Amino acid sequence: MSQNISRTDYLSYGYGLAIVAGGLIGYFKANSIPSLAAGLAFGAAATYGAVLTSQDPKRFHLGLTTSIILLGVMGMRFWRTGKLMPAGLMAALSLAQTARLGMRVSN
């Protein structure tokens, strides 16, 4: 008898939550509707990616794609502005998530 044991991907859930929190902070601090929309959309995608990878570790593609896109967007914003918050923080989190999920590509 083999069991299908799934492991909850808490790091990916935390990443998705950080994205949503960033969008909400951007909205409440600067009344930025684009920050809110992007935070909710990318946070939802990252969180759904966490659901998928928690069900089956081979289903990491949505989470990886989301983190790559955010790494590009927030990395460029950090490069232009040099501001650690929020661009530098989100770029660093996205880099870590991209590296973590990217290691699954070769497996």
Coordinates of all heavy atoms in Angstrom, one line a residue:
M1 N 0.8 -1.2 0.0 CA 0.0 0.0 0.0 C 0.9 1.2 0.0 O 1.6 1.5 0.9 CB -0.8 0.0 1.3 CG -2.2 -0.4 1.1 SD -3.0 -0.2 2.7 CE -4.6 0.0 2.2
S2 N 0.7 2.1 -1.0 CA 1.5 3.3 -1.0 C 0.5 4.5 -0.7 O -0.6 4.5 -1.1 CB 2.1 3.5 -2.4 OG 1.2 3.8 -3.3
Q3 N 1.1 5.4 0.1 CA 0.3 6.5 0.5 C 0.8 7.7 -0.3 O 1.9 7.9 -0.6 CB 0.5 6.9 1.9 CG -0.3 5.9 2.9 CD -0.1 6.4 4.3 OE1 0.9 6.9 4.7 NE2 -1.2 6.3 5.1
N4 N -0.2 8.6 -0.7 CA 0.1 9.8 -1.4 C 0.2 10.9 -0.3 O -0.8 11.4 0.2 CB -0.9 10.2 -2.4 CG -0.5 11.4 -3.2 OD1 0.5 12.0 -3.0 ND2 -1.5 11.9 -4.0
I5 N 1.4 11.2 0.2 CA 1.6 12.1 1.3 C 1.9 13.5 0.7 O 2.9 13.6 0.0 CB 2.7 11.7 2.3 CG1 2.3 10.3 2.9 CG2 2.9 12.7 3.3 CD1 3.4 9.7 3.7
S6 N 1.1 14.4 1.0 CA 1.4 15.8 0.5 C 1.9 16.6 1.6 O 1.6 16.4 2.8 CB 0.1 16.4 -0.1 OG -0.8 16.6 0.9
R7 N 2.8 17.5 1.2 CA 3.4 18.4 2.2 C 3.0 19.8 1.9 O 3.1 20.3 0.8 CB 4.9 18.3 2.1 CG 5.4 16.9 2.5 CD 6.9 16.8 2.4 NE 7.4 17.7 3.3 CZ 8.5 17.5 4.1 NH1 9.1 16.4 4.0 NH2 8.9 18.4 4.9
T8 N 2.5 20.5 2.9 CA 2.1 21.9 2.7 C 3.3 22.7 2.5 O 4.3 22.7 3.2 CB 1.3 22.3 4.0 OG1 0.2 21.4 4.2 CG2 0.8 23.7 3.8
D9 N 3.3 23.5 1.4 CA 4.3 24.4 1.1 C 4.1 25.8 1.8 O 3.7 26.8 1.2 CB 4.4 24.6 -0.4 CG 5.6 25.4 -0.9 OD1 6.4 25.8 -0.1 OD2 5.8 25.5 -2.1
Y10 N 4.5 25.8 3.1 CA 4.3 27.0 3.9 C 5.1 28.2 3.4 O 4.6 29.3 3.4 CB 4.7 26.7 5.3 CG 3.8 25.8 6.0 CD1 4.2 24.5 6.4 CD2 2.5 26.1 6.3 CE1 3.3 23.6 7.0 CE2 1.6 25.2 7.0 CZ 2.1 24.0 7.3 OH 1.2 23.1 7.9
L11 N 6.3 28.0 2.8 CA 7.0 29.1 2.3 C 6.3 29.8 1.1 O 6.3 31.0 1.0 CB 8.4 28.7 1.9 CG 9.3 28.2 3.0 CD1 10.7 27.7 2.5 CD2 9.6 29.4 4.0
S12 N 5.7 29.0 0.3 CA 5.0 29.6 -0.9 C 3.7 30.3 -0.4 O 3.4 31.4 -0.9 CB 4.6 28.5 -1.9 OG 5.8 28.1 -2.6
Y13 N 3.1 29.8 0.6 CA 1.9 30.5 1.2 C 2.3 31.8 1.8 O 1.7 32.8 1.6 CB 1.2 29.6 2.2 CG 0.3 28.6 1.7 CD1 0.6 27.2 1.8 CD2 -0.9 29.0 1.1 CE1 -0.3 26.3 1.3 CE2 -1.8 28.0 0.6 CZ -1.5 26.7 0.7 OH -2.3 25.7 0.2
G14 N 3.5 31.8 2.5 CA 4.0 33.0 3.1 C 4.3 34.1 2.0 O 4.1 35.3 2.2
Y15 N 4.9 33.6 0.9 CA 5.3 34.5 -0.2 C 4.0 35.1 -0.8 O 3.9 36.3 -1.0 CB 6.0 33.7 -1.3 CG 6.4 34.4 -2.5 CD1 7.3 35.5 -2.5 CD2 5.8 34.1 -3.7 CE1 7.6 36.2 -3.6 CE2 6.2 34.8 -4.9 CZ 7.1 35.8 -4.8 OH 7.4 36.5 -5.9
G16 N 3.0 34.3 -1.0 CA 1.7 34.9 -1.5 C 1.1 35.9 -0.6 O 0.6 36.9 -1.0
L17 N 1.2 35.6 0.7 CA 0.6 36.5 1.7 C 1.4 37.8 1.8 O 0.8 38.9 1.9 CB 0.7 35.9 3.1 CG 0.1 36.7 4.3 CD1 -1.4 37.0 4.1 CD2 0.3 35.9 5.6
A18 N 2.7 37.7 1.6 CA 3.6 38.9 1.6 C 3.2 39.8 0.4 O 3.2 41.1 0.5 CB 5.1 38.6 1.5
I19 N 2.9 39.2 -0.8 CA 2.5 40.0 -2.0 C 1.2 40.7 -1.7 O 1.1 41.9 -2.0 CB 2.4 39.0 -3.2 CG1 3.8 38.4 -3.5 CG2 1.9 39.8 -4.4 CD1 3.7 37.3 -4.5
V20 N 0.2 40.0 -1.2 CA -1.1 40.6 -0.9 C -0.9 41.7 0.1 O -1.5 42.8 -0.1 CB -2.1 39.6 -0.4 CG1 -3.4 40.2 0.2 CG2 -2.4 38.6 -1.5
A21 N -0.1 41.5 1.2 CA 0.1 42.5 2.2 C 0.8 43.8 1.6 O 0.4 44.9 1.9 CB 1.0 42.0 3.3
G22 N 1.7 43.6 0.7 CA 2.4 44.7 0.0 C 1.4 45.5 -0.8 O 1.4 46.7 -0.8
G23 N 0.5 44.8 -1.5 CA -0.5 45.5 -2.3 C -1.5 46.3 -1.4 O -1.8 47.5 -1.7
L24 N -1.9 45.7 -0.3 CA -2.7 46.5 0.7 C -2.0 47.6 1.3 O -2.6 48.7 1.4 CB -3.2 45.5 1.8 CG -4.2 44.4 1.3 CD1 -4.4 43.4 2.4 CD2 -5.5 45.1 0.9
I25 N -0.8 47.5 1.7 CA 0.0 48.6 2.2 C 0.1 49.7 1.2 O 0.0 50.9 1.5 CB 1.4 48.1 2.7 CG1 1.2 47.2 4.0 CG2 2.3 49.3 3.0 CD1 2.4 46.5 4.4
G26 N 0.4 49.4 0.0 CA 0.5 50.4 -1.1 C -0.8 51.1 -1.3 O -0.8 52.3 -1.5
Y27 N -1.9 50.4 -1.2 CA -3.2 51.1 -1.3 C -3.5 52.0 -0.1 O -3.9 53.2 -0.3 CB -4.3 50.0 -1.4 CG -5.7 50.6 -1.5 CD1 -6.1 51.3 -2.6 CD2 -6.5 50.6 -0.4 CE1 -7.3 51.9 -2.7 CE2 -7.8 51.1 -0.4 CZ -8.2 51.8 -1.6 OH -9.4 52.4 -1.6
F28 N -3.3 51.5 1.1 CA -3.6 52.3 2.3 C -2.6 53.5 2.5 O -3.0 54.5 3.0 CB -3.8 51.5 3.5 CG -5.0 50.6 3.5 CD1 -4.9 49.3 3.5 CD2 -6.2 51.2 3.4 CE1 -6.1 48.5 3.4 CE2 -7.4 50.4 3.4 CZ -7.3 49.1 3.4
K29 N -1.4 53.3 2.2 CA -0.4 54.4 2.4 C -0.5 55.4 1.3 O -0.3 56.6 1.5 CB 1.0 53.8 2.4 CG 1.5 53.4 3.8 CD 2.9 53.0 3.8 CE 3.7 54.1 4.1 NZ 5.2 53.8 4.3
A30 N -0.6 55.0 0.0 CA -0.5 56.0 -1.1 C -1.8 56.0 -1.9 O -1.8 56.6 -3.0 CB 0.7 55.6 -2.0
N31 N -2.9 55.3 -1.5 CA -4.1 55.3 -2.2 C -3.9 54.8 -3.6 O -4.5 55.3 -4.6 CB -4.8 56.6 -2.2 CG -6.3 56.5 -2.4 OD1 -6.9 55.5 -2.2 ND2 -6.9 57.6 -2.9
S32 N -3.0 53.8 -3.8 CA -2.6 53.3 -5.1 C -3.4 52.1 -5.5 O -3.2 51.0 -5.0 CB -1.1 52.9 -5.0 OG -0.7 52.2 -6.2
I33 N -4.4 52.3 -6.4 CA -5.2 51.2 -6.8 C -4.4 50.2 -7.7 O -4.6 49.0 -7.6 CB -6.4 51.8 -7.6 CG1 -7.3 52.5 -6.6 CG2 -7.2 50.7 -8.3 CD1 -8.5 53.2 -7.2
P34 N -3.4 50.7 -8.5 CA -2.6 49.7 -9.2 C -1.8 48.8 -8.2 O -1.7 47.6 -8.5 CB -1.6 50.6 -10.0 CG -2.3 51.8 -10.3 CD -3.1 52.0 -9.0
S35 N -1.3 49.3 -7.1 CA -0.6 48.4 -6.1 C -1.6 47.4 -5.6 O -1.2 46.2 -5.4 CB -0.1 49.3 -5.0 OG 1.0 50.0 -5.4
L36 N -2.8 47.8 -5.3 CA -3.8 46.9 -4.7 C -4.1 45.8 -5.7 O -4.1 44.7 -5.4 CB -5.1 47.7 -4.3 CG -6.2 46.9 -3.8 CD1 -5.8 46.2 -2.5 CD2 -7.5 47.7 -3.6
A37 N -4.4 46.3 -7.0 CA -4.7 45.3 -8.0 C -3.6 44.3 -8.3 O -3.8 43.1 -8.4 CB -5.1 46.0 -9.3
A38 N -2.4 44.8 -8.4 CA -1.3 43.9 -8.6 C -1.0 43.0 -7.4 O -0.7 41.8 -7.6 CB 0.0 44.7 -8.9
G39 N -1.1 43.5 -6.2 CA -0.9 42.7 -5.0 C -1.9 41.6 -4.9 O -1.6 40.5 -4.6
L40 N -3.2 41.9 -5.2 CA -4.2 40.9 -5.1 C -4.1 39.9 -6.3 O -4.2 38.7 -6.0 CB -5.6 41.6 -5.2 CG -6.0 42.4 -4.0 CD1 -7.4 43.0 -4.1 CD2 -5.9 41.6 -2.7
A41 N -3.8 40.3 -7.5 CA -3.7 39.4 -8.6 C -2.5 38.5 -8.4 O -2.6 37.3 -8.5 CB -3.6 40.2 -9.9
F42 N -1.3 39.1 -8.2 CA -0.1 38.3 -8.1 C -0.1 37.4 -6.8 O 0.4 36.3 -6.7 CB 1.2 39.1 -8.1 CG 1.5 39.5 -9.5 CD1 1.2 40.7 -10.1 CD2 2.2 38.6 -10.4 CE1 1.5 41.1 -11.4 CE2 2.5 38.9 -11.7 CZ 2.2 40.2 -12.2
G43 N -0.7 38.0 -5.7 CA -0.8 37.3 -4.5 C -1.7 36.0 -4.6 O -1.4 35.0 -4.1
A44 N -2.8 36.2 -5.4 CA -3.7 35.1 -5.6 C -3.0 34.0 -6.5 O -3.2 32.8 -6.2 CB -5.0 35.6 -6.3
A45 N -2.3 34.5 -7.5 CA -1.6 33.5 -8.3 C -0.5 32.7 -7.5 O -0.4 31.5 -7.6 CB -0.9 34.2 -9.5
A46 N 0.2 33.5 -6.7 CA 1.3 32.8 -5.9 C 0.6 31.9 -4.9 O 1.1 30.8 -4.6 CB 2.1 33.8 -5.2
T47 N -0.5 32.3 -4.3 CA -1.2 31.4 -3.3 C -1.8 30.2 -3.9 O -1.7 29.1 -3.4 CB -2.2 32.2 -2.5 OG1 -1.6 33.3 -1.9 CG2 -2.9 31.4 -1.5
Y48 N -2.3 30.3 -5.1 CA -2.9 29.2 -5.8 C -1.7 28.3 -6.2 O -1.8 27.0 -6.2 CB -3.7 29.6 -7.0 CG -4.4 28.4 -7.7 CD1 -5.3 27.6 -7.0 CD2 -4.1 28.0 -9.0 CE1 -5.9 26.5 -7.6 CE2 -4.7 27.0 -9.6 CZ -5.6 26.2 -8.9 OH -6.2 25.1 -9.5
G49 N -0.6 28.9 -6.6 CA 0.6 28.1 -6.9 C 1.0 27.3 -5.6 O 1.5 26.1 -5.8
A50 N 0.9 27.8 -4.5 CA 1.2 27.1 -3.2 C 0.2 26.0 -3.0 O 0.7 24.9 -2.5 CB 1.1 28.1 -2.0
V51 N -1.0 26.2 -3.3 CA -2.0 25.1 -3.2 C -1.6 23.9 -4.2 O -1.6 22.8 -3.7 CB -3.4 25.6 -3.6 CG1 -4.4 24.4 -3.7 CG2 -3.9 26.6 -2.6
L52 N -1.3 24.3 -5.4 CA -0.9 23.2 -6.4 C 0.4 22.5 -5.9 O 0.4 21.3 -6.0 CB -0.7 23.9 -7.7 CG -1.9 24.5 -8.4 CD1 -1.5 25.1 -9.7 CD2 -3.0 23.4 -8.6
T53 N 1.4 23.2 -5.5 CA 2.6 22.5 -5.1 C 2.5 21.8 -3.8 O 3.2 20.8 -3.6 CB 3.8 23.5 -5.1 OG1 5.0 22.8 -5.1 CG2 3.8 24.4 -3.9
S54 N 1.5 22.2 -3.0 CA 1.3 21.4 -1.7 C 0.6 20.1 -2.1 O 0.8 19.1 -1.4 CB 0.4 22.2 -0.8 OG 1.1 23.4 -0.3
Q55 N -0.2 20.1 -3.1 CA -0.9 18.9 -3.5 C 0.1 17.9 -4.2 O 0.0 16.7 -4.0 CB -2.1 19.2 -4.5 CG -3.2 19.9 -3.8 CD -4.2 20.4 -4.8 OE1 -4.0 20.4 -6.0 NE2 -5.4 20.9 -4.3
D56 N 0.9 18.5 -5.0 CA 1.9 17.7 -5.8 C 3.1 18.6 -6.1 O 3.0 19.5 -6.8 CB 1.3 17.2 -7.1 CG 2.2 16.4 -7.9 OD1 3.4 16.1 -7.5 OD2 1.8 16.0 -9.0
P57 N 4.3 18.2 -5.5 CA 5.5 19.1 -5.7 C 5.9 19.3 -7.1 O 6.6 20.2 -7.4 CB 6.6 18.3 -4.9 CG 5.8 17.5 -3.9 CD 4.5 17.1 -4.5
K58 N 5.4 18.4 -8.0 CA 5.7 18.6 -9.4 C 4.9 19.7 -10.1 O 5.1 20.1 -11.2 CB 5.5 17.3 -10.2 CG 6.5 16.2 -9.7 CD 6.3 14.9 -10.4 CE 7.2 13.9 -9.9 NZ 6.9 12.5 -10.4
R59 N 3.9 20.2 -9.4 CA 3.0 21.3 -10.0 C 3.5 22.6 -9.5 O 2.7 23.4 -8.9 CB 1.6 21.0 -9.6 CG 1.1 19.7 -10.1 CD -0.3 19.3 -9.6 NE -1.3 20.2 -10.2 CZ -2.6 20.3 -9.9 NH1 -3.0 19.5 -8.9 NH2 -3.4 21.1 -10.4
F60 N 4.7 23.0 -9.7 CA 5.3 24.2 -9.2 C 5.3 25.3 -10.3 O 5.8 26.4 -10.0 CB 6.8 23.9 -8.8 CG 7.6 23.4 -9.9 CD1 8.3 24.3 -10.7 CD2 7.8 22.1 -10.2 CE1 9.1 23.9 -11.8 CE2 8.6 21.6 -11.2 CZ 9.2 22.5 -12.0
H61 N 4.9 25.1 -11.5 CA 5.0 26.0 -12.6 C 4.4 27.4 -12.4 O 4.9 28.4 -12.7 CB 4.6 25.3 -13.9 CG 5.4 24.1 -14.2 ND1 5.0 22.9 -13.8 CD2 6.6 24.0 -14.8 CE1 5.9 22.0 -14.2 NE2 6.9 22.6 -14.8
L62 N 3.2 27.4 -11.9 CA 2.5 28.7 -11.6 C 3.2 29.5 -10.6 O 3.4 30.7 -10.8 CB 1.0 28.4 -11.2 CG 0.2 29.7 -10.9 CD1 0.1 30.6 -12.1 CD2 -1.1 29.4 -10.3
G63 N 3.7 28.9 -9.5 CA 4.4 29.6 -8.5 C 5.7 30.1 -9.0 O 6.1 31.3 -8.8
L64 N 6.4 29.3 -9.8 CA 7.7 29.7 -10.4 C 7.5 30.9 -11.4 O 8.2 31.9 -11.4 CB 8.4 28.6 -11.1 CG 9.7 28.8 -11.8 CD1 10.7 29.4 -10.8 CD2 10.2 27.6 -12.5
T65 N 6.5 30.8 -12.3 CA 6.2 31.9 -13.2 C 5.9 33.2 -12.5 O 6.4 34.2 -12.9 CB 5.0 31.4 -14.2 OG1 5.4 30.2 -14.8 CG2 4.7 32.5 -15.2
T66 N 5.0 33.1 -11.5 CA 4.7 34.3 -10.7 C 5.9 34.9 -10.1 O 6.1 36.2 -10.2 CB 3.7 33.9 -9.6 OG1 2.5 33.3 -10.2 CG2 3.2 35.1 -8.8
S67 N 6.8 34.1 -9.5 CA 8.0 34.7 -8.8 C 8.9 35.3 -9.9 O 9.6 36.3 -9.6 CB 8.6 33.7 -7.9 OG 9.1 32.6 -8.7
I68 N 9.0 34.7 -11.0 CA 9.9 35.2 -12.1 C 9.4 36.6 -12.5 O 10.2 37.5 -12.7 CB 10.1 34.2 -13.3 CG1 10.9 33.0 -12.8 CG2 10.7 34.9 -14.5 CD1 10.9 31.9 -13.9
I69 N 8.1 36.7 -12.8 CA 7.6 37.9 -13.2 C 7.8 39.0 -12.2 O 8.2 40.1 -12.5 CB 6.1 37.8 -13.6 CG1 5.9 36.9 -14.8 CG2 5.4 39.2 -13.8 CD1 4.5 36.5 -15.1
L70 N 7.5 38.7 -10.9 CA 7.7 39.7 -9.9 C 9.2 40.0 -9.7 O 9.5 41.2 -9.4 CB 7.1 39.2 -8.5 CG 5.6 39.5 -8.4 CD1 5.0 38.9 -7.1 CD2 5.3 40.9 -8.5
L71 N 10.0 39.1 -9.8 CA 11.5 39.3 -9.7 C 11.9 40.4 -10.8 O 12.6 41.3 -10.5 CB 12.3 38.1 -9.9 CG 13.8 38.2 -10.0 CD1 14.3 38.9 -8.7 CD2 14.4 36.8 -10.2
G72 N 11.4 40.2 -12.0 CA 11.7 41.1 -13.1 C 11.1 42.5 -12.8 O 11.9 43.5 -12.9
V73 N 9.9 42.6 -12.5 CA 9.2 43.9 -12.3 C 9.8 44.6 -11.1 O 10.2 45.8 -11.2 CB 7.7 43.7 -12.1 CG1 7.0 45.0 -11.6 CG2 7.0 43.2 -13.3
M74 N 9.9 43.9 -9.9 CA 10.4 44.6 -8.7 C 11.9 44.8 -8.7 O 12.4 45.7 -8.2 CB 9.9 43.8 -7.5 CG 8.4 43.7 -7.3 SD 7.6 45.4 -7.4 CE 7.6 45.8 -5.7
G75 N 12.6 43.9 -9.4 CA 14.0 44.0 -9.6 C 14.4 45.3 -10.4 O 15.3 46.1 -10.0
M76 N 13.6 45.5 -11.5 CA 13.8 46.7 -12.3 C 13.4 48.0 -11.5 O 14.1 49.0 -11.6 CB 13.0 46.6 -13.6 CG 13.4 45.6 -14.6 SD 15.1 46.0 -15.3 CE 14.6 47.3 -16.3
R77 N 12.4 47.9 -10.7 CA 12.0 49.0 -9.9 C 13.0 49.4 -8.9 O 13.4 50.5 -8.7 CB 10.6 48.8 -9.3 CG 10.1 50.0 -8.5 CD 8.7 49.7 -8.0 NE 7.8 49.6 -9.2 CZ 6.5 49.3 -9.1 NH1 6.0 48.9 -7.9 NH2 5.7 49.2 -10.1
F78 N 13.6 48.3 -8.3 CA 14.7 48.5 -7.3 C 15.9 49.1 -7.9 O 16.6 50.0 -7.4 CB 15.0 47.2 -6.5 CG 16.1 47.4 -5.6 CD1 16.0 48.2 -4.4 CD2 17.3 46.7 -5.8 CE1 17.0 48.3 -3.5 CE2 18.4 46.8 -4.9 CZ 18.2 47.6 -3.8
W79 N 16.2 48.6 -9.1 CA 17.4 49.1 -9.9 C 17.2 50.6 -10.2 O 18.2 51.4 -10.1 CB 17.5 48.3 -11.2 CG 18.7 48.7 -12.0 CD1 18.7 49.5 -13.1 CD2 20.0 48.2 -11.9 NE1 20.0 49.6 -13.6 CE2 20.8 48.8 -12.8 CE3 20.7 47.3 -11.0 CZ2 22.2 48.6 -13.0 CZ3 22.0 47.1 -11.1 CH2 22.7 47.7 -12.1
R80 N 16.0 51.0 -10.6 CA 15.8 52.4 -11.0 C 15.7 53.3 -9.7 O 16.3 54.4 -9.8 CB 14.4 52.6 -11.7 CG 14.5 52.2 -13.2 CD 13.3 52.7 -13.9 NE 12.1 52.5 -13.2 CZ 11.2 51.5 -13.3 NH1 11.4 50.6 -14.2 NH2 10.1 51.5 -12.6
T81 N 15.1 52.9 -8.7 CA 14.9 53.8 -7.5 C 15.9 53.6 -6.4 O 16.1 54.5 -5.6 CB 13.5 53.6 -6.9 OG1 13.4 52.3 -6.4 CG2 12.4 53.8 -8.0
G82 N 16.4 52.4 -6.2 CA 17.3 52.1 -5.1 C 16.6 52.0 -3.8 O 17.2 51.9 -2.8
K83 N 15.3 52.0 -3.8 CA 14.5 52.0 -2.6 C 14.3 50.5 -2.1 O 13.8 49.7 -2.9 CB 13.1 52.6 -2.7 CG 13.2 54.1 -3.0 CD 11.8 54.7 -3.0 CE 11.9 56.2 -3.3 NZ 10.5 56.8 -3.3
L84 N 14.7 50.3 -0.9 CA 14.5 48.9 -0.3 C 13.1 48.5 -0.1 O 12.7 47.4 -0.4 CB 15.3 48.8 1.0 CG 15.3 47.4 1.7 CD1 16.0 46.4 0.8 CD2 15.9 47.5 3.0
M85 N 12.2 49.5 0.2 CA 10.8 49.2 0.4 C 10.0 49.9 -0.6 O 10.2 51.1 -0.8 CB 10.4 49.7 1.8 CG 10.9 48.9 3.0 SD 10.3 47.2 2.9 CE 8.6 47.4 3.3
P86 N 9.1 49.3 -1.3 CA 8.9 47.8 -1.3 C 9.7 47.0 -2.3 O 9.7 45.8 -2.2 CB 7.4 47.7 -1.5 CG 7.2 48.9 -2.5 CD 8.1 50.0 -2.1
A87 N 10.3 47.7 -3.3 CA 10.8 47.1 -4.4 C 12.0 46.1 -4.1 O 12.0 45.0 -4.5 CB 11.3 48.1 -5.5
G88 N 12.9 46.6 -3.2 CA 14.0 45.7 -2.9 C 13.6 44.5 -2.1 O 14.1 43.4 -2.4
L89 N 12.7 44.7 -1.2 CA 12.2 43.5 -0.4 C 11.5 42.5 -1.3 O 11.8 41.3 -1.2 CB 11.3 44.0 0.7 CG 10.7 42.9 1.6 CD1 11.7 42.1 2.3 CD2 9.7 43.5 2.5
M90 N 10.6 43.0 -2.1 CA 9.9 42.0 -3.0 C 10.8 41.4 -4.0 O 10.6 40.2 -4.4 CB 8.7 42.7 -3.6 CG 7.5 43.0 -2.7 SD 7.0 41.6 -1.7 CE 6.7 40.3 -2.9
A91 N 11.8 42.1 -4.5 CA 12.7 41.5 -5.4 C 13.5 40.4 -4.7 O 13.8 39.4 -5.3 CB 13.7 42.6 -6.0
A92 N 13.9 40.7 -3.5 CA 14.7 39.7 -2.7 C 13.8 38.4 -2.4 O 14.3 37.3 -2.6 CB 15.2 40.3 -1.4
L93 N 12.6 38.6 -2.0 CA 11.7 37.5 -1.8 C 11.4 36.7 -3.0 O 11.4 35.5 -3.1 CB 10.4 38.0 -1.2 CG 10.4 38.5 0.3 CD1 9.1 39.1 0.7 CD2 10.9 37.4 1.2
S94 N 11.3 37.5 -4.1 CA 11.0 36.8 -5.4 C 12.2 36.0 -5.9 O 12.1 35.0 -6.5 CB 10.6 37.9 -6.5 OG 9.4 38.5 -6.1
L95 N 13.4 36.6 -5.7 CA 14.6 35.9 -6.1 C 14.7 34.6 -5.3 O 15.0 33.5 -5.8 CB 15.9 36.8 -5.8 CG 17.2 36.1 -6.1 CD1 17.3 35.7 -7.6 CD2 18.3 37.1 -5.7
A96 N 14.5 34.6 -4.0 CA 14.5 33.4 -3.1 C 13.5 32.4 -3.6 O 13.8 31.2 -3.7 CB 14.3 33.8 -1.7
Q97 N 12.3 32.8 -3.9 CA 11.2 31.9 -4.3 C 11.6 31.3 -5.7 O 11.3 30.2 -6.0 CB 9.9 32.7 -4.3 CG 8.7 31.8 -4.7 CD 8.3 30.8 -3.7 OE1 9.0 30.5 -2.7 NE2 7.1 30.3 -3.8
T98 N 12.1 32.2 -6.6 CA 12.5 31.7 -7.9 C 13.6 30.6 -7.8 O 13.5 29.6 -8.5 CB 12.9 32.9 -8.8 OG1 11.8 33.8 -9.0 CG2 13.4 32.4 -10.2
A99 N 14.6 30.9 -7.0 CA 15.7 29.9 -6.8 C 15.1 28.6 -6.2 O 15.5 27.5 -6.6 CB 16.7 30.5 -5.9
R100 N 14.3 28.8 -5.2 CA 13.7 27.6 -4.5 C 12.9 26.7 -5.4 O 13.1 25.5 -5.5 CB 12.9 28.0 -3.3 CG 12.5 27.0 -2.3 CD 11.8 27.6 -1.1 NE 10.5 27.9 -1.4 CZ 9.4 27.1 -1.4 NH1 9.7 25.8 -1.2 NH2 8.2 27.5 -1.6
L101 N 12.0 27.3 -6.2 CA 11.2 26.6 -7.1 C 11.9 26.2 -8.4 O 11.7 25.1 -9.0 CB 9.9 27.3 -7.4 CG 8.9 27.6 -6.3 CD1 7.7 28.4 -6.7 CD2 8.5 26.3 -5.7
G102 N 12.8 27.0 -8.8 CA 13.6 26.7 -10.0 C 14.5 25.5 -9.8 O 14.8 24.8 -10.9
M103 N 14.9 25.1 -8.6 CA 15.7 23.9 -8.4 C 14.9 22.7 -8.8 O 15.4 21.6 -9.1 CB 16.2 23.9 -7.0 CG 17.2 24.9 -6.7 SD 17.8 25.0 -5.0 CE 17.2 23.6 -4.2
R104 N 13.6 22.8 -8.8 CA 12.7 21.6 -9.2 C 12.7 21.4 -10.7 O 12.3 20.3 -11.1 CB 11.3 21.9 -8.7 CG 11.2 22.0 -7.1 CD 9.8 22.2 -6.7 NE 9.8 22.4 -5.3 CZ 8.7 22.5 -4.5 NH1 7.5 22.4 -5.1 NH2 8.8 22.8 -3.2
V105 N 13.1 22.3 -11.5 CA 13.0 22.2 -12.9 C 13.9 21.0 -13.3 O 13.5 20.2 -14.2 CB 13.4 23.5 -13.6 CG1 13.6 23.2 -15.1 CG2 12.4 24.6 -13.3
S106 N 15.1 20.9 -12.8 CA 16.0 19.8 -13.2 C 15.6 18.5 -12.6 O 16.2 17.5 -13.1 CB 17.4 20.2 -12.8 OG 17.5 20.3 -11.4
N107 N 14.7 18.4 -11.6 CA 14.4 17.1 -11.0 C 13.3 16.4 -11.8 O 12.4 16.8 -12.3 CB 14.0 17.3 -9.6 CG 15.2 17.7 -8.7 OD1 16.3 17.4 -9.1 ND2 14.9 18.4 -7.6

